[in-house]
């Protein structure tokens, strides 16, 4: 059998692509070396922030907005809760140029994006921040952007639901099967895995932190860097009800490089808070997946104690997760440089999840229609030449 499309890598992007493809044709196959959702890639840890005014670039906004629609469509189809609206509080100093996800002026661009796309928001001065959000320690001259429709997604559930829906639509899903090699002849692509050989008209590579391998021997072989990131859940000492999703928003303190979530794991589940670290690059094979006591203590001293009221130093749990970054933090969504029958998507930086449902649609459109209704010029490989 010749498939219309094969998707290799069924994390956030691949499960979305397979679901979208399966709405058009049942002759599609998705495969993964592990059994997604799993803990070894980039889509792990209970919650991912979603927001609509995207400070990483206004060109991301249509992806975020379309993804909201797809999450709601999936919720209606399955009865599963994927998206929880909590409001989003994004705080910084007004003229700050501190980078988030390699993007300077993130808070400014967030406000610009909200204004140009008509996204509902409120601007809060320092006194209002202190009054409305006593869980935080604000600095003088902090300003807050509050987005009503921001919230969090459950990444593991999003993957499972999209794979289930793809199966229902007739797609084949194979897990614990690793792709080893790719060959092309004419318009057909043949992939060999550790278990079988398959032929397809289009191959979509959504292999996350493993994707650099696919760009070997091309001008982009040195483009991507993988960075180890740690998610922490610190104990709530104060009143737990101050931190539940109905009272506490997702937040990003952009100047202090801290972001986090309301408490979703009960009084003993802790508050999930993280920072971003770009000191040393690594790989999915060699990354240290153990979080040391020293790291936890440094996180508490540098990022928790100065910024929060009522959060204790006890770390309830922690998890290692991987960012895969281009030099400017933008995504790659494009044809492979040496073969137009192969599409690749590296949407694996620290803000890709919220866009993943729309990225799936883009990939399905490119694979089946050779074009997409979304503007993806910013994600072409040639931008990094
Ligand atoms: C700590 C952290 C916090 C984040 N926070 C947010 C957030 O708050 N909001 C947000 O929007 N985004 C966030 N992100 C980003 C988001 O999680 C990622 O953009 C997204 O999960 C990337 O998904 P992916 O499909 O590219 O990679 P993955 O989910 O890792 O999927 C890649 C898959 O490919 C498979 N694979 C690789 N090679 C092969 C092979 N040869 N054969 C078969 N299968 C293969 C792997 O097993 C894996 O399952 C965060 C990321 C991290 C790490």
């Amino acid at each position: 059998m010749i498939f219309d499309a094969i998707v290799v890598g069924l994390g956030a992007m691949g499960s979305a692509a397979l679901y979208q493809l399966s709405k058009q044709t049942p002759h599609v196959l998705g495969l993964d070396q592990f059994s997604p959702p799993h803990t070894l890639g980039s889509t792990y840890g209970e919650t991912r922030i979603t927001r609509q005014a995207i400070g990483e670039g206004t060109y991301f906004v249509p992806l975020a907005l379309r993804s909201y629609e797809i999450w709601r469509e999936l919720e209606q189809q399955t009865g599963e809760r994927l998206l929880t609206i909590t409001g989003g509080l994004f705080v910084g100093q007004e003229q700050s140029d501190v980078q988030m996800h390699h993007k300077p002026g993130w808070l400014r661009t967030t406000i610009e994006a909200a204004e140009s796309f008509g996204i509902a928001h409120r601007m809060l001065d320092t006194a209002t921040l202190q009054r409305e959000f006593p869980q935080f320690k604000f600095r003088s001259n902090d300003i807050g952007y509050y987005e009503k429709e921001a919230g969090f997604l459950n990444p593991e559930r999003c993957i499972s639901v999209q794979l289930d829906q793809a199966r229902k639509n007739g797609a084949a899903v194979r897990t614990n099967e690793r792709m080893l090699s790719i060959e092309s002849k004419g318009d057909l692509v043949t992939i060999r895995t550790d278990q079988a050989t398959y032929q397809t008209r289009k191959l979509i590579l959504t292999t996350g932190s493993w994707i650099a391998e696919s760009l070997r021997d091309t001008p982009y072989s040195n483009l991507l860097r993988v960075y180890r990131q740690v998610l922490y859940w610190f104990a709530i000492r104060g009143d737990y009800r101050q931190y539940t999703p109905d009272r506490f928003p997702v937040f990003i303190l952009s100047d202090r490089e801290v972001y986090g979530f309301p408490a979703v794991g009960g009084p003993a589940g802790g508050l999930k808070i993280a920072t971003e670290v770009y000191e040393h690059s690594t790989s999915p094979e060699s990354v240290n997946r153990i979080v040391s006591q020293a790291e936890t203590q440094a996180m508490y001293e540098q990022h928790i104690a100065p910024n929060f009221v009522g959060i204790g130093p006890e770390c309830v749990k922690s998890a290692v997760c991987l960012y895969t970054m281009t030099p400017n933090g933008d995504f790659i969504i494009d044809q492979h440089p040496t073969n137009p029958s192969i599409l690749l998507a590296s949407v694996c930086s620290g803000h890709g999840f919220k866009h993943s449902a729309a990225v799936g649609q883009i990939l399905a459109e490119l694979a089946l229609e050779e074009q997409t209704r979304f503007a993806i010029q910013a994600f072409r490989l040639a931008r990094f030449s």
Side-chain angles (χ1 to χ4, degrees):
M1 170 174 180
I2 298 173
F3 288 99
D4 290 333
I6 293 179
V7 182
V8 177
L10 298 178
M13 307 305 149
S15 59
L18 193 69
Y19 166 57
Q20 294 293 335
L21 287 163
S22 74
K23 293 204 278 189
Q24 308 298 323
T25 165
H27 302 129
V28 287
L29 165 71
L31 62 90
D32 199 287
Q33 63 187 342
F34 305 123
S35 186
H38 60 76
T39 61
L40 300 169
S42 303
T43 314
Y44 166 55
E46 297 171 1
T47 45
R48 288 289 185 268
I49 293 178
T50 188
R51 47 194 157 88
Q52 299 186 339
I54 305 297
E56 287 80 355
T58 50
Y59 44 93
F60 288 101
V61 175
L63 274 64
L65 295 177
R66 175 64 187 132
S67 295
Y68 268 73
E69 292 174 354
I70 299 173
W71 305 127
R72 291 306 191 201
E73 163 194 303
L74 282 161
E75 286 181 331
Q76 281 198 340
Q77 282 168 17
T78 63
E80 293 274 359
R81 176 96 175 259
L82 304 178
L83 168 60
T84 304
I85 301 296
T86 59
L89 180 64
F90 309 130
V91 176
Q93 300 271 304
E94 194 158 11
Q95 292 310 322
S96 167
D97 255 333
V98 169
Q99 296 198 3
M100 271 287 299
H101 303 134
H102 290 3
K103 300 288 182 175
W106 178 89
L107 190 58
R108 259 201 320 275
T109 313
T110 297
I111 298 164
E112 277 165 29
E115 281 165 0
S116 59
F117 283 85
I119 293 163
H121 67 282
R122 284 193 298 142
M123 295 303 304
L124 312 176
D125 60 18
T126 317
T128 313
L129 285 168
Q130 279 161 345
R131 195 175 59 248
E132 293 193 17
F133 299 101
Q135 303 93 332
F136 296 90
K137 295 178 188 168
F138 295 106
R139 296 176 185 168
S140 56
N141 299 325
D142 268 348
I143 57 159
Y145 163 97
Y146 181 82
E147 189 177 292
K148 196 165 156 273
E149 291 298 316
F152 64 83
L153 293 152
N154 180 310
E156 288 90 350
R157 218 177 286 153
C158 289
I159 290 181
S160 299
V161 157
Q162 289 177 103
L163 292 181
D164 286 349
Q165 291 306 99
R167 281 191 195 94
K168 279 192 188 144
N169 292 339
V173 177
R174 295 188 56 91
T175 53
N176 301 309
E177 180 165 347
R178 182 170 155 72
M179 182 184 75
L180 299 176
S181 65
I182 307 172
E183 273 172 42
S184 299
K185 214 179 215 176
D187 287 344
L188 289 185
V189 182
T190 303
I191 65 163
R192 201 164 56 78
T193 73
D194 51 12
Q195 295 169 41
T197 301
Y198 305 99
Q199 279 195 310
T200 181
R201 291 186 181 84
K202 290 284 179 195
L203 175 64
I204 299 177
L205 299 175
T206 41
T207 45
S209 296
W210 289 262
I211 208 161
E213 174 67 21
S214 311
L215 289 170
R216 213 193 309 158
D217 302 327
T218 76
Y220 307 101
S221 57
N222 209 19
L223 188 62
L224 295 166
R225 296 274 180 282
V226 175
Y227 295 98
R228 174 181 183 270
Q229 307 294 343
V230 181
L231 299 165
Y232 299 89
W233 285 255
F234 279 95
I236 296 171
R237 281 213 172 142
D239 178 3
Y240 161 74
R241 287 164 306 174
Q242 294 275 324
Y243 298 93
T244 51
D246 54 325
R247 304 273 288 276
F248 190 71
V250 296
F251 63 87
I252 297 175
L253 309 181
S254 58
D255 288 347
R256 289 173 257 175
E257 297 166 342
V258 186
Y259 67 93
F261 299 82
V264 294
L271 200 70
K272 179 179 161 186
I273 305 177
T275 184
E276 300 192 322
V277 179
Y278 297 105
E279 263 163 40
H280 307 288
S281 60
T282 181
S283 73
E285 289 79 22
S286 62
V287 65
N288 175 10
R289 295 187 185 270
I290 295 168
V291 180
S292 70
Q293 179 57 36
E295 277 180 286
T296 305
Q297 192 177 332
M299 177 71 188
Y300 181 78
E301 285 167 5
Q302 289 165 26
H303 294 291
I304 309 297
N307 296 321
F308 300 90
V309 179
I311 305 298
E314 304 82 19
C315 186
V316 175
K317 65 176 173 173
S318 56
V320 168
C321 204
L322 300 170
Y323 279 8
T324 306
M325 302 296 289
T326 57
N328 71 357
D330 276 349
F331 304 158
I332 300 170
I333 306 175
D334 206 351
Q335 293 174 340
H336 191 274
T338 64
N339 188 339
S341 299
I342 303 176
L343 299 169
L344 44 90
S346 178
V347 182
C348 198
S349 61
H351 70 112
F353 194 86
K354 68 182 66 59
H355 306 295
S356 58
V359 170
Q361 181 175 345
I362 292 170
L363 291 168
E365 288 173 354
L366 291 174
L368 301 178
E369 300 162 30
E370 306 276 348
Q371 57 188 359
T372 173
R373 69 195 74 172
F374 293 88
I376 58 166
Q377 299 86 322
F379 311 133
R380 296 285 188 193
L381 270 166
R383 292 221 33 234
F384 300 104
S385 296

